[in-house]
């Protein structure tokens, strides 16, 4: 099936009032959720998964990917207006966006963020299509040993690239992997770690665990630091940047979009790292580097185009190999599973309408986002101004009903609350929660492929299979390298006491 | 060791591990290492969890690439890395504990969610959700009764129409079972 034929199938899925309405709904919700500080794209997608149960798989995934792409732009709204990034990656946008607001040029900041996000998103989707399709064809030949190695590589890079320290990220991943071993063993049928509880025979249900770790934990953390002081939004001017100003930053947008997509492809790198790196590179390449940090449109464009384009990049390993590249991808993987779909090369063969439907929806969602951003920003700002004392109870209510709706089980609700407490505890002591989720999501893939490979060819398969061996070697070094760097840092700090405090 | 993998033996094993972990934690809390005692909680919990699950694997069938293989692999690494972090806690080479936040307020919040959970069985989803939203908003210092009423009622209507009517989710009805 050629690309044009595949896209005609994809567009046939999204052309119609229902899919278009779903895309618009997803974009609106994504922008609003992204704009609310504390709600990350992964939280936004996790909260909306329960609403997609009765939709067809294609429509459900179109809704969730539309939220994903729009929430990255939404994060820039509060970053520009009140210096409070709605998403972690928008922290880079705030560095130049908020000074623009202080100078009375908020409209220019928001306009630049919107156009850069749209172009970045489009470039990301284009590269996604170019990379994912051939990669999926190659992946058809992968053996269980290769899949095991790739999944382990994904987990190792997530640990090594995560903010905070590598040891804590590894503990978080291992905790997730261990949680995933609870229930009936997928190969031998032996019941593991269920302690006689029937509800645990299938292990913890993924979606309540995700909602607990991503959404409920945010509310609990907020409770702990509750001050009762709400956000204050000033009135903003609505003057967009001129065409001349846009033309000045066109290369910055293009360069940052490509950087963002490429970084997004690496599991664990994500939108925040993409935004920081492209901001830094744009500053180095700029004719006016001194303006960065003081309201530079280039700075806003670099950060926004990179974080939006990383969405397309992060979807490459998810769709082609079934390995999530980011926390939001892990939630999307959960949504795929909920609809009895397994992302990976077979998805391209068996369900092309889903894959190309997602590609087409991402293109349309970008265009919808541009129009909604141009004409709806004032409305979004009003909605985002909803007091936190109203928003957080509502998030909890959505989380509870969402967890219940998966299986109609109160045990899932209890699990969601329990994972919320675990997530709060992890965050409090600097353990990231995204690796826990990735561990849970990839646990089955790692275990099944490892044991199948061993049962078929013995333990030697991991060095006889060249691809598996090389990938495992890279995974090993990507895990060990940051540990080695941390050890060297400790030694240098110990040699020169007082200059640097040696902390892990 | 298999005695500890089931029944009373398992209970004794779990209690002993918890006691040792608490001993280490409180030992740190009342010593020079008090600033790092909080950081020790997660590695201690991970070690206890790993050892409890390890003892359970002793009852699994022993076969090549069997059901115990992968859990044992994760348990080994989890214990190893937790011990390393614990060592950093003992030597002070880790970030100090975060400042104590409003733990009581957090406890109230979590308690409210737990009460909401149990109330769903007795009062039903819709009544308990309304009460939960109103109480939570009030707890978070929101003092506009009309808005509280509007948000609570709005959410109940929304969840009834979307989840109960459209998605056919059998939400617990509790007291209003005879009316719907």
């Amino acid at each position: 099936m050629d690309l044009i034929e595949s896209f005609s199938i994809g567009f046939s899925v999204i052309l119609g009032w229902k899919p278009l309405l779903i895309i618009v709904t997803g974009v609106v919700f994504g922008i609003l959720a992204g704009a609310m500080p504390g709600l990350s794209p992964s939280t936004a997608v996790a909260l909306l998964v329960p609403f997609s149960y009765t939709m067809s798989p294609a429509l459900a995934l179109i809704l969730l990917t539309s939220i994903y792409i729009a929430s990255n732009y939404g994060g820039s709204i509060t970053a520009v207006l009140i210096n409070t990034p709605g998403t972690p990656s928008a922290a880079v946008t705030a560095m130049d966006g908020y000074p623009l607001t202080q100078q009375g040029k908020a409209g220019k900041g928001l306009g630049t963020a919107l156009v850069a996000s749209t172009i970045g998103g489009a470039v990301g989707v284009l590269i996604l299509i170019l990379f994912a399709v051939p990669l999926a064809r190659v992946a058809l030949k992968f053996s269980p040993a290769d899949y095991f190695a790739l999944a382990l590589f994904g987990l190792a890079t997530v640990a090594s690239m995560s903010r905070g320290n590598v040891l804590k990220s590894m503990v978080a991943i291992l905790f997730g992997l261990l949680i995933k071993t609870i229930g009936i063993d997928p190969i031998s049928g032996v019941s593991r770690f269920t302690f006689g509880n029937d509800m645990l025979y299938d292990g913890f249900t993924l979606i309540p665990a995700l909602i607990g770790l991503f959404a409920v934990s945010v509310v609990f953390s907020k409770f702990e630091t509750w001050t009762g002081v709400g956000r204050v939004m000033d009135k903003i001017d609505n003057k967009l940047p001129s065409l001349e100003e846009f033309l000045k930053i066109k290369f910055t947008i293009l360069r940052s979009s490509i950087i963002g997509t490429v970084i997004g492809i690496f599991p664990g790198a994500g939108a925040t790292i993409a935004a920081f790196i492209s901001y830094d590179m744009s500053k180095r390449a700029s004719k006016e580097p001194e303006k960065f940090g003081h309201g530079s449109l280039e700075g806003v464009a670099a950060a926004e185009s990179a974080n939006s384009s990383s969405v397309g990049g992060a979807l490459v390993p998810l769709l082609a190999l079934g390995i999530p590249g980011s926390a939001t991808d892990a939630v999307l993987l959960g949504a795929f599973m909920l609809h009895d779909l397994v992302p990976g090369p077979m998805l391209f063969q068996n369900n092309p309408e889903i894959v190309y439907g997602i590609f087409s929806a991402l293109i349309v969602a970008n265009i919808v986002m541009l129009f909604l951003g141009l004409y709806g920003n004032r409305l979004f700002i009003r909605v985002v101004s909803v007091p936190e004392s109203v928003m957080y109870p509502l998030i909890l209510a959505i989380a509870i009903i969402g967890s219940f709706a998966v299986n109609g089980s109160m045990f899932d609700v209890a699990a969601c609350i329990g994972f919320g407490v675990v997530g709060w505890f992890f965050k409090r002591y600097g353990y990231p929660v995204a690796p826990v989720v990735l561990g849970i999501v990839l646990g089955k893939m790692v275990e099944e492929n490892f044991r199948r490979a061993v049962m078929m060819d013995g333990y030697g398969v991991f060095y006889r299979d060249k691809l598996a061996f090389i990938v495992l070697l890279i995974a090993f070094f990507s895990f060990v390298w940051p540990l080695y760097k941390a050890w060297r840092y400790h030694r240098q700090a110990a040699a020169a006491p007082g200059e640097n405090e040696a902390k892990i | 060791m298999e005695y500890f993998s089931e029944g009373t033996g398992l209970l004794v094993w779990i209690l002993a591990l918890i006691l040792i972990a608490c001993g280490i934690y409180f030992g740190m809390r009342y010593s020079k290492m008090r600033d790092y005692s909080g950081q020790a909680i997660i590695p201690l919990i991970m070690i206890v969890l790993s050892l409890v699950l390890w003892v359970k694997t002793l009852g699994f069938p022993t076969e090549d690439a069997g059901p115990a293989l992968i859990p044992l692999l994760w348990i080994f690494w989890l214990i190893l890395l937790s011990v390393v972090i614990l060592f950093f806690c003992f030597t002070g080479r880790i970030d100090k504990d975060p400042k104590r936040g409003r733990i009581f307020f957090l406890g109230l919040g979590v308690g409210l969610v737990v009460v909401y959970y149990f109330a769903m069985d007795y009062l039903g989803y819709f009544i308990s959700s309304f009460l939960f939203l109103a109480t939570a908003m009030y707890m978070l210092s929101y003092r506009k009764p009309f808005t509280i009423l509007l948000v609570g009622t709005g959410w109940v209507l929304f969840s009834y129409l979307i989840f109960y009517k459209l998605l056919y989710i059998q939400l617990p009805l509790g007291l209003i079972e005879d009316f719907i």
Side-chain angles (χ1 to χ4, degrees):
Chain A
M1 203 189 303
D2 64 12
L3 205 63
I4 296 171
E5 197 184 335
S6 306
F7 262 100
S8 64
I9 295 174
F11 272 103
S12 70
V13 173
I14 62 157
L15 291 179
W17 69 269
K18 204 171 164 184
L20 287 175
L21 183 69
I22 282 175
I23 292 175
V24 173
T25 310
V27 170
V28 171
F29 183 80
I31 294 176
L32 290 175
M36 289 179 182
L39 283 190
S40 60
S42 45
T43 312
V45 177
L47 282 174
L48 259 271
V49 170
F51 290 86
S52 70
Y53 292 143
T54 52
M55 290 179 189
S56 70
L59 290 184
L61 290 160
I62 285 169
L63 170 74
L64 300 175
T65 44
S66 303
I67 296 170
Y68 186 10
I69 203 152
S71 57
N72 270 300
Y73 160 65
S76 69
I77 295 178
T78 39
V80 171
L81 294 181
I82 53 169
N83 203 22
T84 309
T87 54
S89 59
V92 191
T93 312
M95 283 155 58
D96 280 290
Y98 187 60
L100 281 168
T101 301
Q102 287 176 314
Q103 294 159 23
K105 297 175 188 167
K108 282 184 191 273
L110 286 175
T112 305
L114 177 65
V115 173
S117 287
T118 308
I119 296 174
V123 171
V125 174
L126 194 72
I127 297 178
L128 163 68
I129 296 163
L130 291 176
F131 268 78
V133 178
L135 185 60
R137 279 196 200 122
V138 175
L140 278 172
K141 293 173 189 149
F142 286 178
S143 66
D146 298 332
Y147 268 109
F148 165 73
L150 282 168
L152 216 61
F153 168 69
L155 292 171
T157 50
V158 165
S160 60
M161 289 189 187
S162 60
R163 284 162 290 154
N165 77 73
V166 183
L167 279 178
K168 285 181 175 178
S169 302
M170 281 306 292
V171 165
I173 285 177
L174 286 163
F175 175 67
L177 288 168
L178 198 55
I179 290 287
K180 191 60 197 169
T181 61
I182 295 171
I184 301 285
D185 170 31
I187 293 178
S188 68
V190 170
S191 160
R192 297 188 299 195
F193 314 131
T194 56
F195 295 89
N197 186 341
D198 298 358
M199 306 302 289
L200 281 175
Y201 280 169
D202 288 329
F204 286 104
T205 313
L206 182 63
I207 300 298
L210 295 184
I211 295 175
L213 285 166
F214 281 132
V216 178
S217 66
V218 168
V219 183
F220 288 167
S221 296
K222 197 73 198 174
F223 281 168
E224 194 194 352
T225 54
W226 187 255
T227 54
V229 180
R231 300 184 296 271
V232 181
M233 297 270 191
D234 292 329
K235 282 197 170 178
I236 59 155
D237 83 306
N238 218 14
K239 199 179 169 194
L240 293 169
S242 64
L243 187 64
E244 196 187 338
E245 284 171 314
F246 274 128
L247 289 175
K248 261 187 182 175
I249 55 173
K250 60 182 183 295
F251 289 118
T252 305
I253 294 179
L254 203 64
R255 183 179 51 239
S256 303
S257 302
I258 294 169
I259 293 170
T261 316
V262 173
I263 291 172
I265 292 174
F266 290 95
T272 312
I273 293 176
F276 269 110
I277 290 176
S278 69
Y279 181 86
D280 186 51
M281 287 181 82
S282 298
K283 190 176 174 182
R284 285 167 201 260
S286 173
K287 288 175 187 164
E288 299 168 317
E290 71 284 354
K291 283 192 177 173
F292 276 66
H294 302 284
S296 160
L297 291 183
E298 262 186 289
V300 174
E304 277 303 303
S305 46
N307 76 34
S308 288
S309 62
S310 71
V311 171
L315 284 171
V316 172
L318 175 71
L319 291 176
L321 304 171
I323 296 171
S326 68
T328 317
D329 285 333
V331 183
L332 280 178
L333 183 57
F336 271 101
M337 290 170 175
L338 196 74
H339 289 279
D340 291 326
L341 294 167
V342 182
M346 293 311 289
L347 190 72
F348 284 75
Q349 285 205 331
N350 299 337
N351 302 88
E353 78 286 356
I354 304 268
V355 178
Y356 290 93
I358 291 174
F359 291 162
S360 313
L362 285 170
I363 294 168
V364 175
N366 258 307
I367 299 166
V368 171
M369 187 176 82
L370 179 66
F371 281 98
L372 285 175
L374 282 175
Y375 299 106
N377 261 348
R378 278 181 182 276
L379 183 70
F380 294 138
I381 292 160
R382 280 181 74 99
V383 177
V384 169
S385 304
V386 63
E388 289 179 330
S389 46
V390 175
M391 187 175 80
Y392 288 115
L394 275 173
I395 290 175
L396 284 174
I398 297 173
I400 298 288
I401 199 169
S403 312
F404 181 84
V406 183
N407 294 320
S409 156
M410 288 302 281
F411 179 80
D412 284 345
V413 178
C416 170
I417 298 168
F419 276 106
V421 175
V422 170
W424 161 75
F425 212 62
F426 267 52
K427 281 178 188 168
R428 189 167 203 277
Y429 291 106
Y431 291 74
V433 292
V436 181
V437 172
L438 287 163
I440 296 175
V441 166
L442 285 178
K444 193 176 171 195
M445 182 181 176
V446 171
E447 172 160 18
E448 282 186 2
N449 285 299
F450 179 79
R451 286 169 63 190
R452 281 215 180 99
V454 171
M455 282 192 276
M456 282 184 339
D457 299 307
Y459 287 97
V461 68
F462 297 109
Y463 62 79
R464 282 199 302 273
D465 185 319
K466 285 192 185 79
L467 179 67
F469 182 70
I470 292 168
V471 175
L472 280 175
L473 216 60
I474 298 170
F476 176 74
F477 281 111
S478 62
F479 169 58
V480 169
W481 178 246
L483 285 179
Y484 170 71
K485 276 202 311 190
W487 176 75
R488 261 185 52 178
Y489 176 76
H490 276 294
R491 280 195 52 170
Q492 282 169 358
E499 283 181 25
N500 289 309
E501 275 291 306
K503 302 283 181 199
I504 70 162
Chain B
M1 283 302 285
E2 267 196 65
Y3 166 74
F4 292 108
S5 69
E6 295 290 338
T8 317
L10 179 64
L11 203 66
V12 171
W13 178 250
I14 293 173
L15 282 174
L17 288 172
I18 291 173
L19 274 175
I20 294 169
C22 287
I24 294 173
Y25 171 73
F26 284 109
M28 287 181 76
R29 189 122 180 82
Y30 296 103
S31 71
K32 281 181 189 169
M33 293 176 276
R34 77 171 69 84
D35 289 342
Y36 306 97
S37 57
Q39 288 284 3
I41 296 175
I42 289 181
L44 283 171
I45 291 174
M46 292 300 147
I47 292 169
V48 169
L49 176 76
S50 300
L51 289 174
V52 170
L53 296 187
W54 167 70
V55 86
K56 288 292 290 178
T57 63
L58 299 176
F60 292 174
T62 46
E63 54 191 78
D64 204 25
L69 176 72
I70 289 289
L72 283 175
L73 192 67
W74 304 150
I75 286 168
F76 169 76
W77 283 104
L78 193 54
I79 291 179
L80 185 76
L81 295 180
S82 299
V83 167
V84 173
I85 294 178
L86 213 52
F87 171 74
F88 284 130
C89 293
F90 291 147
T91 53
R93 280 195 282 170
I94 194 165
D95 289 331
K96 283 185 179 175
D97 290 350
K99 277 184 186 161
R100 200 179 146 86
R102 299 182 67 185
I103 298 294
F104 179 73
F105 193 75
L106 168 71
L108 268 182
V110 177
L112 188 64
V113 176
V114 173
V115 170
Y116 175 35
Y117 170 79
F118 285 109
M120 265 197 274
D121 253 352
Y122 298 102
L123 301 177
Y125 175 78
F126 298 108
I127 295 176
S128 54
S129 292
F130 178 84
L131 292 175
F132 166 74
L133 283 171
T135 317
M137 279 189 266
Y138 190 83
M139 191 186 99
L140 296 174
S141 314
Y142 197 75
R143 294 288 185 272
K144 292 181 182 169
F146 180 70
T147 315
I148 290 177
L149 200 71
L150 198 72
V151 171
T153 315
W155 173 254
V156 167
L157 275 175
F158 174 79
S159 50
Y160 173 76
L161 290 173
I162 299 292
F163 284 93
Y164 194 76
K165 282 287 177 192
L166 193 70
L167 301 179
Y168 301 109
I169 307 291
Q170 291 304 308
L171 296 164
L173 296 174
L175 295 178
I176 55 168
E177 194 155 11
D178 297 333
F179 302 100
I180 292 188

